[in-house]
């Protein structure tokens, strides 16, 4: 990706994706519909602090590997009764500004990866470029978002919103990339070479 316009395309796509994510999470009500407060937050906080030794992900029920009876009991409770999946931080997490910075950095990395792939396509029309970008957004949704719904009982509303924002965001980013990435001159020369050889033979 030596062409400055190609790098600019990735940057603009990352900005568009970031703006869409900001709008979706701040303006659309669906992002908060699956999250709710505890009835007695102070009691929950005291209980967690009394039972958690370090930052991490905690599950209830939980059984250590190798204990078959405990694992079967935990599995029964998880599938038939009460269960919890909690991310606990005892001393605070990243600030809002830091989270935004990391989010944009990850968007930019993703845009650079997709841009690199699009510059290698032998067909670089608008439809092809957008189709490839959307395909990889669907691939990510199927392999990284939906498994959490299956394994950890993420709510349907939360999962649907995550897939929706992800696919729409990358569709918009794909539109930017499809329009801004320069035409693949190497692919054009490869496609015209056989025709030129045929003319020489004739």
């Amino acid at each position: 990706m030596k062409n400055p316009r190609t790098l600019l395309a990735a940057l603009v796509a990352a900005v568009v994706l970031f703006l869409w994510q900001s709008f979706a999470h701040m303006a659309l009500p669906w992002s908060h519909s699956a999250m709710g407060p505890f009835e007695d937050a102070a009691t929950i906080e005291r209980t967690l602090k009394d039972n958690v030794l370090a930052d991490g992900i905690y599950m209830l029920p939980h059984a250590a590997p190798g204990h078959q009876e405990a694992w079967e009991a935990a599995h029964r409770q998880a599938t038939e009764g009460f269960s919890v999946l909690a991310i606990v931080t005892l001393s605070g997490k990243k600030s809002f500004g830091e989270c935004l910075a990391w989010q944009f950095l990850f968007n930019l990395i993703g845009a650079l990866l997709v841009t690199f792939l699009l510059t290698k396509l032998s067909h670089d029309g608008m439809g092809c470029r957008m189709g490839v970008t959307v395909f990889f957004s669907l691939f990510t949704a199927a392999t990284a978002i939906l498994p959490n719904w299956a394994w950890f009982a993420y709510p349907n509303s939360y999962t649907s919103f995550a897939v929706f924002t992800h696919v729409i965001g990358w569709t918009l980013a794909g539109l930017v990339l499809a329009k801004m990435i320069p035409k693949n001159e190497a692919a054009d020369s490869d496609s015209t070479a056989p025709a030129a050889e045929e003319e020489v033979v004739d």
Side-chain angles (χ1 to χ4, degrees), residues 4-72:
R5 184 174 172 82
T6 300
L7 296 176
L8 178 62
L11 178 60
V12 174
V15 170
V16 169
L17 179 59
F18 182 79
L19 292 176
W20 159 252
Q21 291 167 338
S22 300
F23 170 80
H25 285 86
M26 296 176 66
L28 300 180
W30 311 325
S31 62
H32 307 289
S33 62
M35 299 181 185
F38 291 107
E39 290 294 331
D40 189 350
T43 300
I44 297 296
E45 181 177 347
R46 286 195 302 270
T47 302
L48 288 175
K49 285 183 176 180
D50 290 342
N51 288 273
V52 171
L53 299 178
D55 293 356
I57 300 176
Y58 293 84
M59 298 181 66
L60 180 69
H62 180 271
H67 296 75
Q68 186 64 24
E69 292 184 1
W71 185 90
E72 290 177 355

Side-chain angles (χ1 to χ4, degrees), residues 119-138:
T119 59
K120 302 303 178 182
L121 294 177
S122 58
H123 300 285
D124 55 4
M126 284 279 297
C128 181
R129 286 176 169 179
M130 285 198 64
V132 169
T133 306
V134 173
F135 171 84
F136 277 102
S137 73
L138 293 172

Side-chain angles (χ1 to χ4, degrees), residues 91-106:
S91 55
K93 63 181 185 67
K94 297 177 180 63
S95 68
F96 183 72
E98 287 180 289
C99 291
L100 289 177
W102 279 109
Q103 182 66 42
F104 181 77
L105 176 62
F106 296 144

Side-chain angles (χ1 to χ4, degrees), residues 74-122:
H75 178 69
R76 282 195 303 271
Q77 180 177 336
T79 55
E80 300 173 4
F82 180 81
S83 65
V84 175
L85 174 69
I87 302 171
V88 179
T89 58
L90 299 177
S91 55
K93 63 181 185 67
K94 297 177 180 63
S95 68
F96 183 72
E98 287 180 289
C99 291
L100 289 177
W102 279 109
Q103 182 66 42
F104 181 77
L105 176 62
F106 296 144
N107 288 345
L108 180 59
I109 292 173
L112 288 170
L113 292 172
V114 175
T115 299
F116 175 78
L117 177 64
L118 295 181
T119 59
K120 302 303 178 182
L121 294 177
S122 58

